[in-house]
Amino acid sequence: MSDTEQYWFNLTTKKVERGFESPAVDRAGPFATEEEAARALELLAERSRAWAADEAEEDRWGTPAAGDSADASDR
């Protein structure tokens, strides 16, 4: 599917567009369906929360879990 066949959400007008109707700075997407594009703000918020959770998990990599009292000084 080409970009001109996909749907975009215009962040300025809050309307769904098909193809490149507006400047890239005003568009979120692409989305496969008009329905997905209409839910763009909700989908972007969900993805943002998921990315933040993933990054937080990566930041904690290698650190003891909460409640884990065994560390090198205890051995």
Side-chain angles (χ1 to χ4, degrees), residues 23-57:
V25 69
D26 293 332
R27 285 184 274 124
F31 298 93
T33 66
E34 186 173 2
E35 292 77 20
E36 282 183 347
R39 294 182 50 230
L41 297 178
E42 179 184 344
L43 292 171
L44 295 172
E46 289 173 10
R47 292 173 186 169
S48 180
R49 284 190 293 272
W51 289 328
D54 286 348
E55 286 184 4
E57 185 64 30

